[in-house]
Amino acid sequence: MSSSCAVSPSVRTEFVNPISKRFLAPSRIYNQPRSKCEMSRRNFAKGIVASGVSVMGSSLTTEPVQGVERLPFKPEGYNFWTWRGQKIHYVVQGEGLPIVLIHGFGASAFHWRYNIPELAKRYKVYAIDLLGFGWSEKAIIEYDAMIWRDQVVDFLKEVVKEPAVLVGNSLGGFTALVSAVGLAEQVVGLVLLNSAGQFGDTKAKTTKPEETALQKFILKPLKEIFQRVVLGVLFWQAKQPARIESVLKNVYINTSNVDDYLVESIKMPADDPNAGEVYYRLMTRFMLNQTEYTLDSFLSKLSCPLLLVWGDLDPWVGPAKASRIKEFYPNTTLVNLQAGHCPHDEVPELVNKALVDWLSTLEAKPSLQTV
């Protein structure tokens, strides 16, 4: 399913990062700088929308990252679980402490292609496709952050069945956070990679004005018709390879991993007959109602250790946001990387190391020694 089509060429130009696309540096522990900068709601929507993309098909001919094992691409998917009558796709490998990986907007479990095999050498690794994305069902429902929370919580209860660590990128990061709060006794650790979500605005109005008859019966239906036409065209445009390549290269600072595997793993779900309708519902109902759920409202209820692995060169979710999360929730370790919005796929060897190092400290805690 596609989402990049909502970003115009002019908007994409604003996101181009001037930093060299070949510069990669080792990770470093970052000790809570006091920046108060924060991405605006408008940029949040643009960023999360553009980070999910769809392309036309191509053969899987590119070589994997040297020295890092890659999950084999399977057009038919790996494993399926039925949840609320809907087919949910997931990958599982390895043995040990369960780690559940949750992808971002428009992506799938295959986006963790360089993380699953490496982490599975030490842990039992699951990667799940959220409802409406990837190889999971393209359900025609009203999408909401709590739908994905319920899906992940039930996945932990019905499939994983033991204490686990949740790891999420972008939209998957926010989903991991709300899921950790929703099932605190089973989530022993949380990892966010360039997470979506925003802090609450205390000055924002909490009540909506009542609709007039003109708005309800004339203006609102006309608006929906217009949105369907425009989003339908944009959805089609998002499947054009040139546009997708441009968006992907804005997401990845080092573009060497923007390859046929990545392209195909995002393209295939867009061919589902229901993908266009799911896209419309996500863009008009979910994406435009972000203020209902805020990072601070969930962080205030979090009880487990938190690791932030942040691509500092992300054109949409900069390091100031990570610093603010750490400041708000002190039980946080922050690792900064010279990467873009998807560090787990751009610099997988650094992300894998950061995860293993942090998980080792987590396993050493008495509460996990019997797991």
Side-chain angles (χ1 to χ4, degrees):
M1 190 193 63
S2 167
S3 58
S4 66
C5 51
V7 181
S8 67
S10 61
V11 171
R12 290 206 309 274
T13 301
E14 295 172 11
F15 292 149
V16 173
N17 198 302
I19 303 297
S20 169
K21 294 182 180 180
R22 291 294 175 188
F23 175 64
L24 295 177
S27 61
R28 55 187 170 87
I29 303 298
Y30 197 65
N31 292 321
Q32 198 172 329
R34 293 286 179 171
S35 173
K36 295 184 178 180
C37 297
E38 181 188 3
M39 182 174 61
S40 69
R41 288 189 176 88
R42 177 178 300 176
N43 284 342
F44 164 77
K46 291 176 182 175
I48 192 173
V49 167
S51 65
V53 296
S54 170
V55 297
M56 296 302 286
S58 57
S59 60
L60 306 185
T61 58
T62 46
E63 293 297 320
V65 173
Q66 188 173 3
V68 183
E69 188 176 350
R70 185 173 72 178
L71 180 74
F73 182 80
K74 290 187 178 182
E76 71 277 14
Y78 277 79
N79 307 281
F80 292 90
W81 163 62
T82 300
W83 178 69
R84 297 184 180 178
Q86 307 288 349
K87 183 178 67 174
I88 302 298
H89 174 250
Y90 71 96
V91 178
V92 58
Q93 288 187 1
E95 295 296 334
L97 174 68
I99 312 297
V100 180
L101 308 175
I102 309 172
H103 63 82
F105 195 97
S108 72
F110 288 110
H111 206 192
W112 303 98
R113 54 186 172 163
Y114 290 117
N115 314 107
I116 295 170
E118 292 296 320
L119 295 175
K121 295 174 182 178
R122 295 170 177 253
Y123 308 102
K124 187 167 188 177
V125 182
Y126 296 87
I128 186 173
D129 285 357
L130 297 175
L131 186 67
F133 296 106
W135 274 246
S136 287
E137 201 87 20
K138 305 300 177 291
I140 306 303
I141 62 170
E142 299 305 314
Y143 284 90
D144 181 89
M146 297 303 102
I147 290 291
W148 296 312
R149 177 204 63 182
D150 292 348
Q151 177 190 342
V152 172
V153 166
D154 288 346
F155 185 77
L156 290 170
K157 291 178 179 178
E158 298 178 19
V159 179
V160 180
K161 298 180 180 179
E162 56 182 316
V165 174
L166 296 183
V167 181
N169 169 238
S170 193
L171 172 66
F174 189 73
T175 300
L177 171 61
V178 299
S179 301
V181 172
L183 195 62
E185 67 276 11
Q186 196 168 333
V187 178
V188 297
L190 175 65
V191 183
L192 306 181
L193 297 91
N194 294 66
S195 179
Q198 57 193 334
F199 282 88
D201 183 357
T202 56
K203 297 180 181 180
K205 295 181 180 180
T206 57
T207 58
K208 295 181 180 180
E210 186 176 346
E211 283 187 320
T212 65
L214 175 65
Q215 291 172 322
K216 185 175 182 179
F217 297 109
I218 299 178
L219 297 181
K220 188 174 181 180
L222 287 174
K223 178 182 176 182
E224 289 180 358
I225 293 171
F226 177 76
Q227 286 176 329
R228 280 196 176 275
V229 172
V230 172
L231 290 175
V233 172
L234 293 176
F235 182 77
W236 177 84
Q237 288 180 338
K239 298 182 179 182
Q240 308 311 308
R243 184 183 183 95
I244 297 315
E245 182 180 359
S246 175
V247 174
L248 283 171
K249 287 182 177 179
N250 284 336
V251 175
Y252 288 64
I253 304 306
N254 182 325
T255 60
S256 59
N257 280 0
V258 178
D259 56 15
D260 292 339
Y261 182 120
L262 179 62
V263 162
E264 190 70 10
S265 72
I266 301 173
K267 173 262 176 185
M268 287 190 68
D271 291 335
D272 186 286
N274 288 342
E277 178 63 22
V278 171
Y279 173 79
Y280 170 78
R281 288 168 182 250
L282 286 169
M283 295 305 300
T284 59
R285 293 157 199 186
F286 170 69
M287 291 301 298
L288 298 180
N289 291 284
Q290 293 299 316
T291 57
E292 187 174 351
Y293 309 110
T294 62
L295 286 171
D296 43 305
S297 66
F298 290 105
L299 287 169
S300 63
K301 301 172 186 175
L302 191 65
S303 58
C304 64
L306 172 63
L307 170 66
L308 301 177
V309 181
W310 219 264
D312 279 358
L313 306 182
D314 186 344
W316 305 311
V317 189
K321 184 177 184 179
S323 300
R324 186 170 180 185
I325 291 173
K326 180 175 173 60
E327 186 174 357
F328 189 92
Y329 190 73
N331 190 13
T332 298
T333 301
L334 175 56
V335 176
N336 296 79
L337 302 174
Q338 296 295 296
H341 189 65
C342 308
H344 59 292
D345 193 60
E346 184 181 340
V347 287
E349 66 283 1
L350 298 183
V351 171
N352 290 340
K353 183 181 185 304
L355 286 170
V356 169
D357 289 348
W358 182 77
L359 289 168
S360 297
T361 65
L362 200 64
E363 288 179 296
K365 295 186 178 182
S367 60
L368 279 180
Q369 289 180 354
T370 57
V371 174

